[in-house]
Amino acid sequence: GTDLRSADLRGANLYGTNLRSADLRGANLYGTYLRENLKCDGKFNHITNIGSENGTLEMYSCGSGGWLIIRGCFTGTKEEFLAKVKETHGDNDHAKKYSAIIELFCN
């Protein structure tokens, strides 16, 4: 639940850190180590007013390690996010929008 909005975390080693519920909006995660083989490379996308709560979906590229996805209290990989979306929304319109956005921006 830590407030890290707009924090400069460039190059920080956050491996093993529990970022669930952390507010990372606007944080600079360039070069940040988040977990094994997950180091952000600076590419970042965000979509606002999405989901059942009209929140913000943040997508950080971590090079060959994949993507870090942040949405509300969720922080995890692209695969973990899509699994959570399926668990939470099933096959409803929110799930379809999330999947389409991830497909468009996280490839």
Side-chain angles (χ1 to χ4, degrees):
T2 303
D3 183 354
L4 296 170
R5 285 177 290 183
S6 300
D8 185 356
L9 299 170
R10 287 178 292 179
N13 184 350
L14 300 177
Y15 181 79
T17 302
N18 182 349
L19 294 172
R20 298 236 185 258
S21 300
D23 189 343
L24 292 164
R25 287 177 288 180
N28 184 344
L29 296 174
Y30 181 81
T32 301
Y33 289 92
L34 298 163
R35 56 172 71 170
E36 189 174 355
N37 298 321
L38 197 59
K39 178 182 176 185
C40 294
D41 62 14
K43 185 176 177 185
F44 166 78
N45 296 298
H46 75 276
I47 305 290
T48 58
N49 297 320
I50 186 162
S52 57
E53 299 170 335
N54 291 318
T56 300
L57 175 65
E58 299 179 61
M59 300 157 279
Y60 297 89
S61 171
C62 298
S64 62
W67 287 83
L68 173 72
I69 309 296
I70 300 170
R71 171 62 188 94
C73 63
F74 175 88
T75 301
T77 66
K78 176 175 103 171
E79 295 75 19
E80 291 167 340
F81 177 73
L82 291 173
K84 187 65 173 176
V85 165
K86 185 172 181 77
E87 175 187 320
T88 303
H89 296 289
D91 194 31
N92 70 15
D93 286 342
H94 297 300
K96 290 174 185 173
K97 288 177 186 175
Y98 279 128
S99 295
I101 288 168
I102 293 297
E103 178 68 25
L104 179 65
F105 288 101
C106 299
N107 284 318

